[in-house]
Amino acid sequence: MTSVLVIDDHPIVLQGCRRLLEDAGVERVLEASTVLAGYRTFRREKPDVVIVDLALQGNGLSGLVLVRRLRMHDARTPILVFSMHGDPVIASRALEAGANGYVLKDTSSGALLEAFEKVRRGQPYMSHDLAMQVAMLGTRKSATLADITPRELQTLSLLAEGKDYTLIAHELGISYKTVANTCSALKAKLGANSLPELVRRSIQFLSSSPATSPGRARML
């Protein structure tokens, strides 16, 4: 009997995954909507495959932390990341954390099933285009200006000035949640594990990019 644990905080996504997997013959589909519930269910039920979102509970890329914890506990269970993030830097971080596959949420149901079947059999999965972009990252030692979006660059500049999420949200005219999610993506791209480290790396990144100054970044 094949069992699958789906970890996602959107009920519609959970329902859709359950229906798709059951129609494909999966006998047991388990669900969790938080990092803690996902980890506890994994430990208790020992599923054959885990499908996990990266953005859980509106907390940036908390799914990356969960993938690491699952992999530390169990080195063998296949983990498929099901994410809205098509950024190759984030996909690469997910693989480094221990994921066996990475599939985008805007993909077809057929592609999701293909990804599931491949990781279930112990094979890696990633779309060809995304895999090529991830492979290209291996030729660079760190994030470059091309990896950073204009909004991320604006946020980096304000972080480097010592401003907190609330002030950044006010200055850019966006929500606090959007700032938090942007900073989570930046942590993944710049290899930072905490906000203080992200601030330090923001300063380092801006100073190492001669074409970009804090003032110019805010104008982009």
Side-chain angles (χ1 to χ4, degrees), residues 138-158:
T139 65
R140 300 198 298 266
K141 292 184 178 180
S142 59
T144 67
L145 195 57
D147 297 321
I148 307 298
T149 69
R151 172 55 53 76
E152 289 170 345
L153 194 55
Q154 292 173 325
T155 303
L156 274 179
S157 176
L158 295 172

Side-chain angles (χ1 to χ4, degrees), residues 15-95:
Q15 293 170 12
C17 285
R18 172 180 287 278
R19 187 178 303 112
L20 185 66
L21 293 168
E22 289 179 343
D23 288 347
V26 175
E27 296 90 346
R28 189 163 177 249
V29 180
L30 307 163
E31 298 177 358
S33 58
T34 68
V35 170
L36 182 59
Y39 183 71
R40 287 177 172 173
T41 303
F42 178 80
R43 293 286 302 269
R44 182 178 66 250
E45 303 293 341
K46 298 178 174 57
D48 298 304
V49 180
V50 177
I51 298 176
V52 59
D53 186 14
L54 289 186
L56 293 168
Q57 302 166 274
N59 187 19
L61 299 175
S62 59
L64 275 177
V65 177
L66 178 58
V67 170
R68 290 192 190 96
R69 290 189 66 188
L70 296 179
R71 189 53 74 216
M72 287 175 64
H73 177 72
D74 185 327
R76 294 186 177 183
T77 300
I79 299 174
L80 174 64
V81 168
F82 187 40
S83 175
M84 66 177 182
H85 296 286
D87 192 308
V89 176
I90 295 176
S92 177
R93 290 294 297 273
L95 298 180

Side-chain angles (χ1 to χ4, degrees), residues 129-205:
D129 290 344
L130 187 55
M132 290 294 291
Q133 294 177 60
V134 170
M136 290 297 293
L137 292 177
T139 65
R140 300 198 298 266
K141 292 184 178 180
S142 59
T144 67
L145 195 57
D147 297 321
I148 307 298
T149 69
R151 172 55 53 76
E152 289 170 345
L153 194 55
Q154 292 173 325
T155 303
L156 274 179
S157 176
L158 295 172
L159 282 172
E161 293 176 8
K163 295 183 178 179
D164 61 19
Y165 287 5
T166 301
L167 289 174
I168 293 173
H170 177 74
E171 182 152 340
L172 296 182
I174 57 180
S175 69
Y176 182 96
K177 180 179 179 180
T178 298
V179 175
N181 288 339
T182 299
C183 287
S184 293
L186 285 168
K187 287 178 185 177
K189 292 183 177 185
L190 299 181
N193 296 314
S194 65
L195 181 57
E197 185 177 358
L198 179 59
V199 172
R200 290 196 300 272
R201 290 183 182 270
S202 297
I203 297 170
Q204 294 169 354
F205 179 85

